[in-house]
Amino acid sequence: MVEGRLEIEDEVKEILQCIENKKNFILTGGAGSGKTYSLVSLIQEIGRLYPNKSIICITYTNNAVAEIKSRISNDKLFVSTIHEFLWKIIKKYQKELKETMIELIYSEEEKYKKFTLPKDNLEKNEMKINLGYFLNSEIVYDEYYSLKSEENSKIGHDEVLLIAEKMFEKYSKLCDILKDNANFIFIDEYQDTSEEVTNIFLNHINKSKKENIIGFFGDSMQSIYETGIGNIKNDSLKRINKIQNRRNPLKVIELTNRLRDDGIKQIPSKDTQATNINEGTGKIKEGNVKFIYSDNNILEELKKTYIFNDWDFKNTLNTKELRLTHKLNAEESGFKELYSLYINDFIYSKLISKLKEKKISEAEDINTFGYIIEKFPIFSGKGKENILKQVDTKSKEEIEKIKDIEWGKIKNSFINKDSLLDYKFNGLTEKYESTSNRDKILQKLDLIYESINLYSENKYVELFKKLKIKISSYEDKIKIRKEMNELIELMKSQNDKIYEIIDKANNILNIKNDEKYIEFIGNKGWYLWNRIKDISFSEYVKSIEYQKEYFPYSTQHSVKGSEFDNVLVILDNGKWNMYNFNLLLENIFDENNILEKNKIFNRTKKLFYVCCTRAKENLIVFIQINNQKINKEKIISNAKKLFGEENVINGDNLVNNIS
């Protein structure tokens, strides 16, 4: 059956041979090897050879789903995220779903601790939940976990995988149903999937005697998420390695090969049409790699040196500056205060949230916030010092403003940390994506922002539709134009606070405060509104521009799967103890492998690998080394082994030479 096939990659030919032999497989390829291309080619070839066979392709993100769908047209192909696919199978079987839910609620296994008893009187009465509890409701997939007897109970993102695995373990008919749905199941980016997922597809599915083929595509070296399984060790899988690199220039390939520890060493692509091949010569591009160190924060000065002569940081499609955290990028992009409020506001995260945990009686609700924080002190740190003694001047001022507000009002306050960086407004449909977590205040600001954008782009019909404005005369058009220009000029001042812009937009654009918005800022959004209203509107705008990638800054995690001509990697832990670049560079060539099983070391190493492999032309890595606890000499020595001695540069000397 192999004969007569179209000319395809050797790796795909190997997979087709596996299919003929009814053998499951795993394809591993380094960054830039074209794993998605292989997956797409395979699906196309299966469509030609087995036109009546069904294919399910499941992956980690919605972006990956969209990418695969854009490349293939096949009526027998179903592409989905892992969560959506598993939920699609189990949601129909509500009785079994409810039985499994009850089992997990009372399970003593640590991984099922998310399944808690409902927040009604069941706990107080020590009543056991049974199927009768769900008699008048169903279990649905939503943003968060919540059990209710008279309404639909909800399970969130994390719970779906756990409950799905348990159901496939318990009910063999689900395994039959799964195989009936797909003759072929391909899991993309396998390293990012959880252990529960691999258990379903490698173990539980064997309860069914029906035939199908399971295939995994990915790279364990790009396992940068804590929940991912990383490497799959299963002797039943035929292992296929894809070693050609189609993206990176030679110097980057040589560098990243030194980082890999799984036996895979990449070679330049043999395809003359590959990204990393010079059109004129047909040879691999040389590329540039540089490692720059400094005792000082001289990054902006460095950008003025010859090292960055050919870089255009305004061209965000070709040039990226990668930092570890959104916090670091928020500071660079100009929305530091807004980011701090959502992510790590002292009053909310250290006072309000901690006081909530104390389960203060409802009788105390009538007392002031100031009274409560004095009566129920919170201690932190090694010396267990009262947290109020650790308050900075800004927070002291904010506490003073709300100290006379009733605790009952403040305790209901809630800030969704995911809300700020979850801008998923679709300008075409004028709707938020179903997964968007934007709170009501941000949605109000989004409406103003999107309206101004429509006006600036001369999309008047869309603008009038969005604002529900009826135009009956030429004078109406003139009035709208005048008012929009007025609002734009106000925003350009950079000084207007958020509440001022909202007030002016409400008046100028006749935007009404809907009931849900009023309810939000009066109740659970009260504290958020109290703080956000005085922040500059320009910070909000910059937060949107950051998410739209108008700035060159990205997090090191978010660029996985992307590629750019020029990549600048900033090695700064950003006080995130999950990663440690100094630890990595000090021990990268440790012959005794003492850190081989160190999670922080390995996690950092893989993230560094991902960052470096984004570069199609130029890669520069910058680190500030001014900590006495750090072995600076060893870091520099190891950097020379990684990058080549000629490519390791003292940034201070470089900057001083042009001063």
Side-chain angles (χ1 to χ4, degrees):
M1 229 179 133
V2 176
E3 296 179 280
R5 290 176 180 150
L6 300 173
E7 187 60 35
I8 52 177
E9 298 176 309
D10 290 341
E11 294 87 0
V12 176
K13 289 179 181 178
E14 279 194 70
I15 294 172
L16 290 169
Q17 193 64 59
C18 287
I19 290 172
E20 291 183 5
N21 297 334
K22 299 179 181 179
K23 182 82 172 173
N24 296 332
F25 65 90
I26 180 169
L27 181 141
T28 297
S33 62
K35 295 181 292 295
T36 302
Y37 178 83
S38 297
L39 174 60
V40 170
S41 298
L42 174 65
I43 292 172
Q44 290 174 332
E45 192 68 2
I46 289 174
R48 188 180 73 85
L49 296 170
Y50 310 97
N52 297 319
K53 299 286 188 180
S54 57
I55 309 166
I56 287 178
C57 180
I58 52 181
T59 188
Y60 193 69
T61 65
N62 286 313
N63 287 340
V65 170
E67 171 70 15
I68 293 169
K69 283 183 175 180
S70 69
R71 297 197 195 186
I72 306 173
S73 177
N74 187 327
D75 293 338
K76 295 291 184 178
L77 172 66
F78 176 77
V79 188
S80 169
T81 64
I82 291 168
H83 295 77
E84 289 172 347
F85 172 70
L86 292 176
W87 177 247
K88 185 174 183 288
I89 293 209
I90 67 174
K91 70 178 181 180
K92 303 174 185 176
Y93 306 97
Q94 285 289 320
K95 180 176 178 294
E96 291 83 356
L97 187 55
K98 292 169 183 176
E99 287 175 345
T100 307
M101 175 81 84
I102 294 167
E103 180 181 342
L104 298 186
I105 286 172
Y106 292 104
S107 172
E108 294 183 359
E109 287 191 55
E110 179 68 18
K111 70 176 181 178
Y112 299 130
K113 65 180 182 180
K114 294 178 180 288
F115 295 89
T116 56
L117 287 163
K119 296 179 179 179
D120 54 22
N121 64 349
L122 287 172
E123 287 180 288
K124 296 177 183 177
N125 295 335
E126 297 183 352
M127 293 171 59
K128 281 278 188 177
I129 292 180
N130 53 39
L131 282 177
Y133 180 82
F134 302 103
L135 185 62
N136 300 315
S137 64
E138 292 190 344
I139 295 174
V140 299
Y141 179 26
D142 207 329
E143 294 179 8
Y144 55 88
Y145 176 90
S146 174
L147 288 194
K148 296 183 180 179
S149 59
E150 298 301 321
E151 302 175 30
N152 287 338
S153 294
K154 302 173 182 179
I155 56 174
H157 196 69
D158 295 334
E159 292 84 24
V160 164
L161 299 185
L162 291 167
I163 203 167
E165 190 218 351
K166 180 58 78 172
M167 288 180 70
F168 275 97
E169 180 185 355
K170 291 176 60 177
Y171 306 109
S172 60
K173 69 177 181 180
L174 280 179
C175 302
D176 288 329
I177 292 165
L178 177 59
K179 288 188 173 181
D180 284 338
N181 273 272
N183 302 109
F184 303 96
I185 299 176
F186 301 139
I187 296 94
D188 194 23
E189 303 290 355
Y190 69 76
Q191 73 278 354
D192 295 329
T193 63
S194 67
E195 185 179 2
E196 287 75 28
V197 173
T198 55
N199 277 339
I200 291 171
F201 293 113
L202 290 177
N203 300 322
H204 303 326
I205 201 171
N206 294 328
K207 292 184 175 71
S208 172
K209 299 192 182 296
K210 298 183 178 184
E211 292 184 353
N212 78 342
I213 298 294
I214 309 290
F216 297 88
F217 295 75
D219 180 15
S220 61
M221 196 64 194
Q222 297 184 67
S223 175
I224 60 176
Y225 303 110
E226 185 65 15
T227 55
I229 193 171
N231 193 19
I232 295 178
K233 297 178 181 179
N234 190 298
D235 294 336
S236 68
L237 297 173
K238 168 69 175 178
R239 293 193 170 269
I240 301 166
N241 292 333
K242 192 173 188 183
I243 62 172
Q244 290 191 44
N245 185 309
R246 303 175 55 86
R247 176 194 299 153
N248 304 126
L250 182 61
K251 287 188 176 181
V252 173
I253 293 175
E254 292 173 345
L255 163 66
T256 53
N257 275 343
R258 296 183 190 109
L259 292 171
R260 294 195 73 99
D261 52 14
D262 58 356
I264 293 178
K265 299 297 178 186
Q266 291 190 298
I267 61 174
S269 174
K270 297 176 182 178
D271 182 2
T272 57
Q273 302 300 310
T275 304
N276 57 1
I277 302 298
N278 274 308
E279 286 186 26
T281 65
K283 295 182 179 179
I284 182 79
K285 295 177 181 177
E286 188 76 9
N288 294 290
V289 297
K290 295 287 185 292
F291 182 93
I292 304 176
Y293 63 92
S294 171
D295 291 328
N296 308 291
N297 184 10
I298 57 167
L299 189 57
E300 293 308 311
E301 288 85 350
L302 274 175
K303 290 179 181 179
K304 299 173 185 176
T305 68
Y306 75 91
I307 296 290
F308 291 97
N309 273 352
D310 299 324
W311 291 47
D312 182 5
F313 285 93
K314 293 181 180 178
N315 187 342
T316 59
L317 294 176
N318 292 335
T319 303
K320 279 296 175 188
E321 193 170 316
L322 308 182
R323 288 175 172 80
L324 181 60
T325 67
H326 286 299
K327 180 178 182 291
L328 296 169
N329 286 335
E331 292 174 8
E332 295 295 325
S333 302
F335 61 102
K336 178 182 178 181
E337 188 178 357
L338 186 62
Y339 182 86
S340 297
L341 170 61
Y342 272 89
I343 308 304
N344 194 33
D345 178 67
F346 181 90
I347 298 172
Y348 179 76
S349 62
K350 298 291 194 298
L351 285 178
I352 298 174
S353 296
K354 296 296 182 184
L355 287 168
K356 285 180 183 180
E357 293 174 4
K358 288 179 175 288
K359 297 181 180 179
I360 301 168
S361 70
E362 293 182 2
E364 298 280 4
D365 286 357
I366 62 172
N367 291 311
T368 66
F369 181 54
Y371 173 85
I372 293 294
I373 59 178
E374 291 292 341
K375 184 176 179 180
F376 300 95
I378 299 167
F379 302 96
S380 70
K382 293 181 180 179
K384 297 298 178 183
E385 185 181 45
N386 190 321
I387 202 167
L388 290 177
K389 293 183 179 180
Q390 306 171 28
V391 180
D392 58 61
T393 304
K394 175 74 173 174
S395 296
K396 281 182 181 177
E397 292 172 356
E398 296 300 331
I399 291 172
E400 194 66 24
K401 291 178 184 177
I402 63 172
K403 71 176 185 178
D404 295 326
I405 305 296
E406 286 187 357
W407 166 241
K409 186 176 185 66
I410 291 179
K411 78 172 186 179
N412 293 323
S413 296
F414 176 72
I415 297 178
N416 184 349
K417 291 186 175 184
D418 297 328
S419 190
L420 180 64
L421 298 179
D422 204 38
Y423 180 76
K424 297 179 180 178
F425 188 84
N426 188 320
L428 295 175
T429 64
E430 300 180 8
K431 294 180 179 178
Y432 288 87
E433 293 184 12
S434 58
T435 56
S436 176
N437 290 307
R438 299 288 273 186
D439 59 53
K440 295 299 178 183
I441 298 171
L442 291 174
Q443 287 183 31
K444 168 75 83 173
L445 295 172
D446 295 343
L447 175 61
I448 298 169
Y449 175 82
E450 294 291 338
S451 298
I452 291 169
N453 273 0
L454 289 173
Y455 177 78
S456 301
E457 295 168 3
N458 300 322
K459 296 179 179 179
Y460 302 122
V461 175
E462 292 93 332
L463 173 64
F464 300 153
K465 183 180 177 182
K466 176 182 281 293
L467 299 178
K468 299 177 181 178
I469 297 174
K470 292 183 180 179
I471 302 297
S472 55
S473 67
Y474 179 74
E475 286 74 20
D476 290 341
K477 292 182 180 179
I478 297 296
K479 182 174 179 291
I480 288 292
R481 183 180 298 167
K482 180 183 177 183
E483 291 173 342
M484 289 299 298
N485 287 335
E486 181 184 344
L487 183 60
I488 290 171
E489 285 303 312
L490 288 169
M491 289 171 53
K492 285 181 179 178
S493 70
Q494 303 287 310
N495 296 319
D496 277 18
K497 296 178 179 179
I498 281 173
Y499 83 88
E500 292 174 325
I501 292 294
I502 289 178
D503 287 345
K504 290 166 183 174
N506 285 351
N507 293 328
I508 293 174
L509 304 179
N510 197 31
I511 299 174
K512 305 289 185 184
N513 288 331
D514 61 55
E515 291 182 4
K516 290 183 177 179
Y517 172 81
I518 295 170
E519 167 70 16
F520 180 77
I521 65 174
N523 290 284
K524 76 175 180 179
W526 180 87
Y527 177 74
L528 175 62
W529 172 248
N530 186 71
R531 293 277 285 106
I532 199 175
K533 65 184 178 65
D534 292 320
I535 294 176
S536 169
F537 183 78
S538 66
E539 286 216 9
Y540 158 79
V541 173
K542 287 173 179 169
S543 76
I544 299 298
E545 291 175 345
Y546 170 67
Q547 292 174 83
K548 288 187 170 184
E549 298 191 44
Y550 292 171
F551 295 112
Y553 317 118
S554 292
T555 62
Q556 293 166 357
H557 289 80
S558 66
V559 294
K560 186 172 173 286
S562 302
E563 55 186 36
F564 312 94
D565 289 346
N566 310 304
V567 175
L568 169 61
V569 185
I570 315 297
L571 300 187
D572 183 341
N573 301 331
K575 298 182 179 180
W576 193 358
N577 58 11
M578 297 282 286
Y579 298 87
N580 192 324
F581 292 111
N582 296 319
L583 179 74
L584 171 69
L585 292 171
E586 285 181 21
N587 299 278
I588 190 71
F589 294 113
D590 180 25
E591 296 180 356
N592 298 319
N593 295 321
I594 60 172
L595 292 177
E596 185 179 354
K597 295 183 179 180
N598 185 295
K599 290 184 178 180
I600 294 174
F601 175 83
N602 284 308
R603 189 182 299 120
T604 308
K605 184 180 182 180
K606 290 176 179 180
L607 186 63
F608 185 55
Y609 173 85
V610 168
C611 291
C612 293
T613 53
R614 300 310 97 194
K616 295 193 295 180
E617 301 279 352
N618 305 300
L619 169 69
I620 294 178
V621 176
F622 174 75
I623 187 170
Q624 183 179 343
I625 316 173
N626 57 4
N627 190 324
Q628 293 183 351
K629 296 180 180 180
I630 298 171
N631 191 332
K632 181 177 178 179
E633 288 71 25
K634 193 171 184 181
I635 287 176
I636 295 171
S637 174
N638 284 342
K640 290 177 179 179
K641 293 179 184 178
L642 271 175
F643 288 79
E645 187 167 353
E646 71 281 7
N647 297 315
V648 177
I649 301 170
N650 185 324
D652 295 313
N653 292 341
L654 192 64
V655 169
N656 290 333
N657 286 338
I658 67 164
S659 303

